[in-house]
Amino acid sequence: MYAVIKTGGKQYKVAAGEKIKVEAIAADVGQEIVIEQVLAVGNGAELKVGTPWVAGATVKATVLAHGKHDKVRIFKMRRRKHYQKNQGHRQTYTELSISAVNA
């Protein structure tokens, strides 16, 4: 059984036992969270799609860690104008372990 969830403005396809990295969630390490924004639930050939959410469907996950992704370097330049700009950004994430998908 798998589910498509929405968290942090992005959509993820998850199944029980998987580990995923999502946008930072305000939760402590080891805490169990319940994600109720489930867009679709599938089991083999059967698929339940919500409008926008599937009624009664939830995904249980445990917070494993918080961290930062690798640095993304942004370099801007205008040729012949002596303009160069360097920027960097490290996006924070929360690592989740999916424990159950409830339809």
Side-chain angles (χ1 to χ4, degrees), residues 31-46:
Q31 181 178 345
E32 187 170 323
I33 61 171
V34 177
I35 300 169
E36 296 176 348
Q37 293 185 338
V38 179
L39 299 164
V41 176
N43 192 1
E46 182 184 334

Side-chain angles (χ1 to χ4, degrees), residues 1-63:
M1 180 176 267
Y2 67 91
V4 178
I5 61 170
K6 179 185 173 194
T7 178
K10 297 177 179 67
Q11 297 175 6
Y12 301 91
K13 180 182 174 186
V14 298
E18 288 184 352
K19 293 180 184 178
I20 60 169
K21 290 182 180 179
V22 299
E23 296 286 326
I25 296 174
D28 296 329
V29 174
Q31 181 178 345
E32 187 170 323
I33 61 171
V34 177
I35 300 169
E36 296 176 348
Q37 293 185 338
V38 179
L39 299 164
V41 176
N43 192 1
E46 182 184 334
L47 178 66
K48 231 190 280 186
V49 180
T51 55
W53 318 121
V54 177
T58 59
V59 173
K60 288 187 180 179
T62 305
V63 177

Side-chain angles (χ1 to χ4, degrees), residues 65-79:
H66 296 289
K68 287 186 174 185
H69 286 289
D70 293 336
K71 182 172 273 195
V72 177
R73 300 209 177 266
I74 300 110
F75 178 71
K76 296 181 180 181
M77 183 180 128
R78 300 285 180 257
R79 62 184 187 162

